Amino acid sequence: MEIAELDHVVVATVDRDEAEQHAWKDAGVPVDIVRLAESDGLDEATLADLGFVARPRWINWCAPVRDSAAEFEAALSGTERRNIRLGRRFVQDEGLHVSVRVGLTPELMDEFLVVYDRQIEAMPRGKNFARRWRDRLLAAGHEHVSVCVYKGAGMIVGSLWWIRPEQSVLQMRFSAASADARSSRVMRVAYMEAFHFARENGLVLASLGNDPSLFGHVVQPGLFTFKSRFGFAPVPSHILDPNLGGEHADRFLTLRSLSDPALVVTWGRHRATPPSWPESAQTPGHDLLILSAAPDEALTGRFRTDGFRETRSVTVV
């Protein structure tokens, strides 16, 4: 058994024998999550008998851009359609400028990173992947488009998108916004402009990027809520990005270091099935597991799960 602290969460990695013996109970330290090594060789029934649930390490959020903005918005809830209208009205009333530019330059990247840095600094466990990826993004700058919103000369919303014609998808790499822009729903305006760019360039799908399949640790349930309510559903990330494959099989012992509730996107019908694109983006396949410290029958109604096959909640004592 190996024990490690990962961003303030204590994870004990065990083999099957240790899992059957509940070896973590004698670890001498409080364990938050037990992770089963080499889980991909076991079927889900066996994992469930051992008390583990399997999930992809990464998920990618996808949706069809449809034939028009009106058609895209028609698939959303009334609340989300109103949020888009409010964002557009704020852009107009405040005299903001939306800029769409193909290609990335060092000047644009550095301008974007100022906004991104501030957003990451405000997150309890934020990871500054965009700054780490700066040079890599610039090296492939011709494959990207930026959609940004400016107040005067200052960027208040920035989003960087990867143009992937072979997959017919416009994939968001990084996005950030000032606090005022987020509260004013301006990010939605930038995203809608990106979807317009995708349509104009013959792309069928949009992606809101990759996230870990556990929401409530590094990324929070609020991100899940935003993306799902915006009409996006997850697919296993390895379908689009093979280097983001693999799974975790976890047993959650406590929410002490996670949010309450925490959300786990499990494999559903996708486990051990060959990657299929774009079919996987058009049919719900993942399941959603909601973890809470106390029973709450209303939890499953708090999250939009149109893009999921099944949703269930579990009490973590």
Side-chain angles (χ1 to χ4, degrees):
M1 178 172 61
E2 296 182 0
I3 297 178
E5 183 176 313
L6 306 175
D7 292 299
H8 306 288
V9 172
V10 178
V11 178
T13 302
V14 300
D15 59 27
R16 182 170 180 176
D17 289 341
E18 291 168 329
E20 291 175 342
Q21 298 165 11
H22 292 187
W24 59 88
K25 292 183 177 179
D26 299 319
V29 296
V31 174
D32 300 307
I33 299 173
V34 184
R35 183 158 294 159
L36 183 61
E38 299 181 1
S39 59
D40 51 357
L42 302 176
D43 60 37
E44 296 210 32
T46 301
L47 289 173
D49 287 342
L50 291 170
F52 291 80
V53 61
R55 59 186 176 95
R57 294 189 181 192
W58 294 89
I59 56 172
N60 190 311
W61 295 86
C62 296
V65 296
R66 306 187 188 275
D67 292 333
S68 66
E71 187 177 340
F72 181 88
E73 293 176 38
L76 304 179
S77 68
T79 299
E80 272 307 303
R81 293 196 297 272
R82 179 175 180 271
N83 285 334
I84 293 170
R85 290 196 302 271
L86 290 173
R88 288 172 174 151
R89 186 181 306 165
F90 185 85
V91 168
Q92 182 177 0
D93 291 348
E94 296 295 315
L96 306 182
H97 170 63
V98 181
S99 169
V100 180
R101 286 179 279 180
V102 176
L104 303 180
T105 65
E107 294 77 16
L108 174 69
M109 279 298 306
D110 292 338
E111 191 177 14
F112 168 77
L113 287 172
V114 170
V115 182
Y116 190 84
D117 289 348
R118 290 173 183 160
Q119 181 169 297
I120 293 296
E121 288 167 2
M123 299 168 63
R125 296 173 188 163
K127 304 286 186 182
N128 201 326
F129 290 112
R131 186 160 288 280
R132 295 182 205 173
W133 277 60
R134 177 187 181 276
D135 293 343
R136 200 180 315 183
L137 288 167
L138 286 173
H142 62 286
E143 299 176 358
H144 290 76
V145 59
S146 65
V147 183
C148 305
V149 182
Y150 290 85
K151 184 174 185 177
M155 182 187 296
I156 61 170
V157 170
S159 59
L160 311 179
W161 302 77
W162 184 11
I163 307 166
R164 306 184 70 174
E166 292 184 4
Q167 293 81 14
S168 196
V169 62
L170 182 67
Q171 180 173 332
M172 193 261 286
R173 304 302 295 272
F174 298 101
S175 67
S178 67
D180 288 347
R182 288 196 299 274
S183 64
S184 302
R185 304 165 178 86
V186 180
M187 183 69 80
R188 290 171 174 81
V189 177
Y191 286 5
M192 293 299 290
E193 285 295 324
F195 306 158
H196 175 72
F197 175 89
R199 289 184 208 101
E200 291 291 300
N201 286 272
L203 304 176
V204 174
L205 293 153
S207 159
L208 292 186
N210 298 295
D211 292 321
S213 57
L214 171 61
F215 292 81
H217 180 211
V218 174
V219 296
Q220 297 303 306
L223 185 62
F224 175 99
T225 297
F226 172 78
K227 293 185 177 183
S228 59
R229 289 182 179 174
F230 208 51
F232 284 71
V235 300
S237 286
H238 70 270
I239 291 177
L240 278 170
D241 301 299
N243 60 316
L244 296 180
E247 75 172 20
H248 288 314
D250 290 340
R251 180 168 178 158
F252 297 91
L253 303 182
T254 174
L255 299 182
R256 175 185 55 230
S257 300
L258 302 176
S259 66
D260 184 4
L263 310 178
V264 184
V265 178
T266 63
W267 278 112
R269 68 176 175 84
H270 289 301
R271 190 171 190 248
T273 59
S276 175
W277 181 263
E279 292 78 14
S280 294
Q282 298 165 348
T283 305
H286 284 295
D287 294 342
L288 180 65
L289 179 65
I290 304 174
L291 309 176
S292 63
D296 185 350
E297 294 182 359
L299 268 180
T300 55
R302 282 179 51 185
F303 302 97
R304 174 170 171 155
T305 55
D306 294 355
F308 289 82
R309 189 185 67 166
E310 179 182 297
T311 301
R312 63 189 179 98
S313 60
V314 171
T315 302
V316 178
V317 179

